[in-house]
Amino acid sequence: MTVARIRALLRKEFLDLARNPTALVPVVLVTILTLVTAFGIAVALPILTGHLLGEDADLLKLSGLMGTHDELSGDGRIQLFLFEQFLLLFLVIPITGAMALAAHAVVGEKQARTLEPLLATPITTFELLVAKVLGALLPTLAVSLTGLALYVLGIALLAEPGVIGAMASARTAVLLLVVGPAAALVSLQSAIVISSRVNDPRTAQQFGVMIIIPLSALLVAQFMGTVWLSATSLALIGLGLLGVWLVLTVFSVVIFEREAILTRWR
Amino acid sequence: MITARGLTRRFGSRVVVDDVSFEVGRSEIVALLGPNGAGKTTTMRMLAGLIAPTSGAVVIDGVHLTRATGTLLRSRIGFLTEAPGVWDRLTVHENLRVYAGLYGLANPNGVIDRALELFELRDRASTRAAELSKGMRQKVALARALLHEPRILLLDEPTSGLDPEITRSVRALLDDRRAAGCSILLSTHNLDEAERLADRVAVLHGRLLALDSPAVLRQRLRTGRVIVCLAGDPAAHLDTARRFDRDTSVDGNTIVLRLASAEHDTPALVSALAAAGARIVEVRQEVPALEDVYLHLMGDR
């Protein structure tokens, strides 16, 4: 593997994206939407309706899943619960926007007839696919991290006192540092696999969107209190996702048939 | 040096390239001629290591092209694909900069500057590829293929879509590369180009129908027809000419006849006509064009 070749292709990916920033609009929009929804539900709605969060018995009960936080008011405990839920959503949903980038990665080059000269260089399949995944992942992470900074700032400024401190937990760290990036890698690598096997970017995107189904199910289950994932559970899920990503990476290299892509795709 | 040994490529039951063998030596240009679907691009792709032959072997500079040696050999080959395949949103310089990185060039900006100079693209360096004309895109693709100064050049229709001025500069460039010791295989539909540029011409139609220098190929189709232009009335000398060919005809101020051995009989014919008082202006053998040879070979398949 040559890092220089990955860097060279990555440079192309970033330049291409810089010239076509609208490709990132879905990621930015989803991030903004998540921010607005989270603060709307946890902060704005109670103020606008005059109904405090702590008055909702069901929400209070659900917030108990977070453990006892006696230092927080009832409103604060519910805000903590909601912001933790939205954190997961916040980390995962922008990936769906990046799916468009990843899904387009290989089939897009083929359609533009730029793949053949690229494959005629010394670049290996592994290097090509790593560059393509990073090309979709890094801009998405940049948007996500910017949104995350705003999220933390918003909680510090707008939430009940003590909520931001209560969120600084091992669970949050695992979510941010392991589950989020691992889920992103799995999703984008899957999209690259699909992009290498179909001959139309739209097909790749349609398949790619299916990846959010299990993630959505997990989110709904968490909101309903059916499933509550502890820091340990999340760490295991994160490690499992990293394992899946490694397998997918090897798989994507194995099934990437340069010859079939050049000769059979029309 | 490029060596193709018994290259065969099937797609399903269809044999696209059938037992093709040839060599392109150092400082040599070989032109691959053939109609659409003749297997030119497939042959090029096999030589570039992009697709594997069903059977047969490719040897580049003494190294067998295999999955294991593919990466190494691709770094020695400059491949111009059928379509220019430049990234539209990137500028000319950026396109070349990415490829300089992919080839691991030590001084990418210096190399790119030289390429821009060579292809007269300096004033377009900051122009996005999408804004370039077809000919300019082809020039960028050629610059890209030559960026790493490969000793092996595989060029799929290098002058396709180029205007005559650019075509001439590309031909001059290929001449230079040949002089620098490169082995160059180019495919073309342009018979005139093949004749001007190539040391040898390979006519392909699935199988290799012919492989030789343009002069030798033309020789194959020699008709033995000799054309004698005269000042004065050629009919007056028909009888003299008919001693050499009973079917001699007159066409304007020329006598046209067919000699069994043009090289042997032409001096005797000229002497006989001169002795008969004919005022000879010009004597020439009818030489077929490469196009005639090509069409003849295609017709013979």
Side-chain angles (χ1 to χ4, degrees), chain B residues 113-151:
Chain B
D113 283 347
R114 278 201 300 278
L116 292 172
E117 197 70 54
L118 188 65
F119 285 91
E120 296 169 2
L121 285 165
R122 185 169 290 285
D123 59 335
R124 299 299 187 104
S126 303
T127 306
R128 288 193 196 179
E131 295 165 20
L132 298 175
S133 66
K134 189 180 174 189
M136 283 293 190
R137 292 162 74 83
Q138 184 76 348
K139 275 173 88 170
V140 176
L142 265 167
R144 184 185 64 202
L146 294 170
L147 201 59
H148 54 302
E149 297 187 356
R151 307 285 290 178

Side-chain angles (χ1 to χ4, degrees), chain A:
Chain A
M1 185 184 79
T2 309
V3 175
R5 287 199 287 260
I6 295 174
R7 209 167 43 221
L9 189 55
L10 205 49
R11 178 192 180 93
K12 176 258 156 186
E13 297 294 320
F14 291 158
L15 283 168
D16 203 40
L17 194 58
R19 303 281 154 71
N20 182 30
T22 47
L24 270 182
V25 165
V27 184
V28 174
L29 279 180
V30 169
T31 304
I32 292 170
L33 195 65
T34 309
L35 280 169
V36 170
T37 310
F39 287 101
I41 292 173
V43 179
L45 267 181
I47 295 170
L48 292 172
T49 59
H51 293 288
L52 295 177
L53 290 170
E55 292 169 357
D56 191 310
D58 290 338
L59 276 176
L60 260 180
K61 192 179 163 193
L62 271 177
S63 68
L65 289 167
M66 298 290 300
T68 51
H69 282 281
D70 293 336
E71 77 279 13
L72 298 177
S73 64
D75 284 352
R77 283 201 296 276
I78 294 170
Q79 279 186 337
L80 175 63
F81 172 75
L82 290 173
F83 282 129
E84 280 283 341
Q85 306 310 311
F86 277 110
L87 187 60
L88 183 61
L89 185 71
F90 192 81
L91 289 172
V92 169
I93 292 299
I95 296 165
T96 58
M99 294 292 292
L101 299 178
H104 199 260
V106 178
V107 69
E109 295 272 8
K110 168 69 184 176
Q111 281 205 327
R113 303 189 78 179
T114 50
L115 189 62
E116 188 171 4
L118 188 58
L119 293 179
T121 70
I123 197 165
T124 64
T125 302
F126 180 74
E127 291 161 353
L128 173 75
L129 296 181
V130 167
K132 288 294 182 183
V133 169
L134 292 179
L137 178 69
L138 296 182
T140 308
L141 280 185
V143 174
S144 286
L145 288 175
T146 308
L148 185 68
L150 293 172
Y151 192 63
V152 171
L153 187 68
I155 294 170
L157 293 175
L158 303 172
E160 290 289 307
V163 172
I164 189 71
M167 282 192 74
S169 63
R171 187 178 185 278
T172 306
V174 169
L175 263 178
L176 291 179
L177 301 175
V178 183
V179 178
L185 282 171
V186 169
S187 308
L188 298 180
Q189 196 72 47
S190 306
I192 294 284
V193 169
I194 294 161
S195 184
S196 309
R197 303 299 295 182
V198 298
N199 56 11
D200 181 356
R202 289 169 299 185
T203 316
Q205 267 176 266
Q206 281 163 4
F207 274 109
V209 166
M210 290 168 70
I211 288 164
I212 68 161
I213 292 172
L215 296 170
S216 307
L218 183 66
L219 278 168
V220 170
Q222 277 223 144
F223 268 111
M224 291 177 70
T226 313
V227 177
W228 176 252
L229 298 170
S230 65
T232 312
S233 312
L234 283 172
L236 288 173
I237 289 174
L239 290 174
L241 285 171
L242 285 173
V244 171
W245 171 63
L246 288 173
V247 171
L248 271 176
T249 303
V250 174
F251 182 62
S252 58
V253 172
V254 170
I255 65 160
F256 188 89
E257 294 179 47
R258 289 173 175 239
E259 193 173 313
I261 291 171
L262 289 178
T263 57
R264 286 183 216 151
W265 284 12
R266 287 286 183 268

Side-chain angles (χ1 to χ4, degrees), chain B residues 67-111:
Chain B
R67 192 178 279 262
T69 60
T71 301
L72 168 76
L73 289 180
R74 284 200 298 275
S75 67
R76 296 182 186 174
I77 296 171
F79 184 32
L80 176 73
T81 49
E82 200 177 358
V86 289
W87 288 303
D88 280 347
R89 291 196 190 99
L90 272 59
T91 66
V92 170
H93 190 282
E94 287 164 350
N95 263 283
L96 297 177
R97 182 69 182 78
V98 172
Y99 274 83
L102 290 171
Y103 284 108
L105 301 183
N107 174 21
N109 287 328
V111 170

